């Protein structure tokens, strides 16, 4: 049976692929070239070594994988991070730098265990809540097996990048409401958590005008991606799918670290969500990584990515106990 949401996103992908590299496009080509140009630090980058294993987890009538990263040295009571890559909910995998290199870096820098989630992608009829179910299930698995992995069950955080950040935030909400084991903290890297992007600030709008529509996540790009994830119109989005719609009920979520990218249309969502969390009394640390486009963790050799990874490592190392939920 045809899936109208996936058919639309596939047509959009083909349309974008058909644009010739030399074709005239909106934006500032000089700025775009500068932001995309490889840096000297990227040429020699190599992700740290780690002990790696994989587990397949059954969920309903389907299954998904998790990849587990551990330091080679023996240890106990380590922090553990359940991490989900980005990719517009329909792309990405465990081998992309945003998944593999990030996991290896945090394993080395924080002496941590990282569980990277190969959640089901929204292709060919797969929509919400499938990827959310996978992230929630992976978190429960991580808490259950934390001690066997050399980690402390009270130090299990959850996080993700871009689409994966949305899944991590939604999972934190679901865990809160289910009264189950809570995350010690949340990390959201350049998140999208609203079904319609909030209005950008004047400063951000000026920067987005310098990018192509795809880079700026213009509505004609963003809406088909989001609705393919939902499997429904954007205005029907559930709170667990896009937690930004739940501004009035974010009380009790774990301490949250949010990174946004300077040249990124999704920054409006990350900035708005930080405001919403603070208004609900949640501990939030947020900031904007300068001089980078969306997805800078996919370029782990960047100095800016190095700084982000350092802050992420410090964050998961210092957060131990989940807050008490009082609603």
């Amino acid at each position: 049976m045809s899936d109208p949401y996936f058919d639309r996103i596939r047509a959009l992908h083909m349309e974008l692929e058909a644009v010739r590299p030399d074709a005239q496009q909106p934006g500032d080509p000089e700025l775009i070239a500068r932001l995309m140009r490889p840096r000297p630090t990227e040429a020699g980058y190599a992700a740290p070594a780690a002990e790696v294993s994989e587990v397949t987890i059954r969920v309903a009538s389907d299954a998904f994988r998790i990849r587990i990263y551990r330091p080679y040295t023996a240890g106990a009571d380590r922090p553990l991070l359940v991490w989900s890559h980005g990719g517009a909910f329909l792309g990405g995998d465990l081998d992309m730098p945003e998944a593999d290199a990030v996991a290896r870096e945090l394993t080395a820098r924080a002496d941590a265990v990282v569980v990277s989630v190969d959640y089901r992608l929204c292709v060919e009829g797969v929509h919400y809540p499938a990827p959310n179910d996978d992230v929630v299930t992976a978190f429960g698995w991580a808490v259950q097996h934390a001690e066997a992995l050399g980690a402390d069950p009270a130090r299990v955080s959850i996080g993700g990048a871009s689409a994966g950040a949305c899944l991590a935030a939604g999972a934190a909400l679901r865990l809160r409401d289910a009264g189950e084991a809570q995350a010690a903290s949340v990390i959201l890297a350049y998140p999208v958590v609203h079904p319609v992007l909030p209005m950008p600030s004047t400063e951000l709008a000026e920067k987005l005008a310098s990018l192509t529509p795809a880079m700026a996540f213009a509505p004609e790009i963003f809406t088909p991606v989001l609705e393919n994830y939902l499997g429904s119109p954007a205005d029907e989005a559930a709170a667990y799918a896009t937690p930004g719609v739940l501004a009035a009920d974010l009380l009790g979520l774990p301490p949250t670290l949010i990174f946004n990218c300077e040249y990124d249309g999704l920054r409006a969502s990350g900035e708005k969500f930080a405001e919403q969390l603070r208004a609900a009394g949640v501990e939030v640390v947020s900031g904007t990584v300068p001089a980078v486009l969306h997805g800078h963790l996919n370029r782990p050799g960047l100095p800016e990515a190095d700084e982000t990874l350092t802050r992420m490592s410090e964050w998961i190392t210092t957060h131990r106990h989940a807050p008490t939920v009082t609603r």
Side-chain angles (χ1 to χ4, degrees):
M1 187 172 68
S2 177
D3 178 347
Y5 295 103
F6 186 64
D7 290 346
R8 182 170 60 153
I9 199 69
R10 180 160 46 192
L12 175 63
H13 176 74
M14 293 175 65
E15 180 182 330
L16 293 173
E17 285 288 301
V19 176
R20 300 193 325 273
D22 61 342
Q24 186 69 28
Q25 296 187 61
D28 181 343
E30 202 170 297
L31 171 67
I32 293 170
R34 175 165 56 82
L35 292 171
M36 297 182 68
R37 187 177 300 128
R39 308 268 195 91
T41 52
E42 295 183 87
Y45 174 79
E51 181 181 331
V52 180
S53 59
E54 290 189 6
V55 172
T56 298
I57 299 178
R58 301 294 306 179
V59 54
S61 59
D62 212 332
F64 68 96
R65 292 182 303 155
I66 56 173
R67 184 177 290 174
I68 305 153
Y69 296 78
R70 288 187 284 176
Y72 280 111
T73 57
D77 299 327
R78 288 176 161 130
L80 189 156
L81 175 66
V82 178
W83 178 254
S84 297
H85 64 78
F89 303 101
L90 51 72
D93 56 40
L94 294 180
D95 295 320
M96 66 191 292
E98 195 175 71
D100 185 69
V102 167
R104 292 176 181 275
E105 289 285 359
L106 296 181
T107 297
R109 294 170 186 240
D111 191 36
V113 178
V114 178
V115 173
S116 187
V117 187
D118 191 25
Y119 55 86
R120 286 172 288 172
L121 300 176
C122 295
V123 298
E124 302 292 357
V126 177
H127 302 290
Y128 170 83
N132 302 68
D133 289 344
D134 296 348
V135 174
V136 170
T137 301
F139 181 84
W141 185 96
V143 172
Q144 182 181 357
H145 294 84
E147 291 184 356
L149 295 172
D152 182 348
R155 301 181 75 191
V156 181
S157 294
I158 193 168
S162 192
C166 182
L167 300 177
L173 273 174
R174 289 178 60 178
L175 292 165
R176 180 202 67 179
D177 293 347
E180 298 177 359
Q182 303 292 296
S185 71
V186 178
I187 298 177
L188 307 178
Y190 33 93
V192 52
V193 292
H194 296 86
V196 177
L197 290 179
M199 286 293 293
S201 65
T202 301
E203 172 265 333
L204 177 55
E206 291 175 354
K207 287 183 166 62
L208 299 184
S210 301
L211 306 178
T212 67
M215 287 178 169
F217 293 93
E220 65 269 24
I221 304 294
F222 177 77
T223 301
V225 169
L226 198 282
E227 292 188 340
N228 177 64
Y229 158 58
L230 297 173
S232 66
D235 59 8
E236 298 178 8
Y240 294 149
T242 53
V245 304
L246 200 65
D249 192 18
L250 296 173
L251 177 67
L253 284 178
T256 301
L257 175 65
I258 299 177
F259 290 101
N260 298 302
C261 300
E262 183 178 6
Y263 291 90
D264 181 3
L266 298 190
R267 171 149 71 98
S269 184
E271 290 174 342
K272 181 66 174 179
F273 196 53
E275 293 175 7
Q276 293 172 316
L277 289 169
R278 289 191 183 99
V282 178
E283 177 191 337
V284 182
V285 175
S286 64
T288 300
V289 181
V292 293
L293 292 163
H294 179 80
H296 72 294
L297 290 178
N298 268 313
R299 299 174 63 183
L302 288 176
E304 293 85 354
D306 178 76
E307 184 175 344
T308 298
L309 290 163
T310 296
R311 293 187 63 190
M312 290 171 65
S313 300
E314 294 169 349
W315 181 266
I316 62 172
T317 301
T318 55
H319 285 81
R320 176 179 295 272
H321 297 294
T324 301
V325 178
T326 305
R327 301 178 61 205

